[in-house]
Amino acid sequence: RGSAVDSYQTVAVNCNACRHRLFRYKKKNGTKSNLIKCYVERIVYDSTNDDDPENENELERQLDNFEELSNDVNHKWTCPKCGNGFGRSSLIHGLPAIKLVGGKTRMTKK
């Protein structure tokens, strides 16, 4: 998919409870529609939010080990700051993705 994804608009995905930025995501049509799932290949690492590097490293570690974690059907994605669950691992169209739980995340322009 490569170069086509680069032209997509980048949006920030934040925890709805504590407003902590979870990650940035390359979304095809920007903020025009709701965010239901996030393909892992489109998640952009964000190093600008360094208020707690240990929490950021935990989320990056989970993304790096996505295939191992997605084999565990009980794996839940949680906010590193407040512990609120925001999604679950899944395969969509053969690509690894995170299915987001409705109302747990908020999408904003970067």
Side-chain angles (χ1 to χ4, degrees):
R1 302 193 187 259
S3 63
V5 174
D6 292 340
S7 65
Y8 294 168
Q9 184 178 356
T10 304
V11 296
V13 179
N14 303 315
C15 175
N16 204 20
C18 67
R19 303 286 191 249
H20 177 72
R21 179 183 291 156
L22 300 168
F23 50 83
R24 285 186 174 167
Y25 182 71
K26 292 280 192 179
K27 190 165 184 309
K28 194 170 189 175
N29 62 353
T31 57
K32 292 179 182 170
S33 62
N34 293 336
L35 192 60
I36 307 296
K37 61 188 171 281
C38 293
Y39 291 107
V40 173
E41 66 183 11
R42 294 189 195 172
I43 293 176
V44 180
Y45 289 124
D46 181 20
S47 60
T48 59
N49 194 0
D50 287 334
D51 54 347
D52 192 353
E54 285 187 21
N55 286 341
E56 291 298 317
N57 289 338
E58 172 62 22
L59 197 59
E60 285 184 28
R61 185 190 62 75
Q62 287 186 52
L63 287 169
D64 289 339
N65 298 325
F66 185 87
E67 288 187 28
E68 295 170 25
L69 295 173
S70 62
N71 291 334
D72 178 15
V73 293
N74 296 323
H75 180 69
K76 304 290 185 215
W77 291 84
T78 58
C79 173
K81 193 169 183 183
C82 69
N84 196 13
F86 67 86
R88 60 186 171 84
S89 299
S90 114
L91 279 176
I92 300 172
H93 303 294
L95 297 172
I98 301 171
K99 281 191 175 179
L100 300 175
V101 178
K104 299 291 184 171
T105 58
R106 178 172 293 249
M107 176 181 55
T108 58
K109 289 184 180 178
K110 67 171 168 174

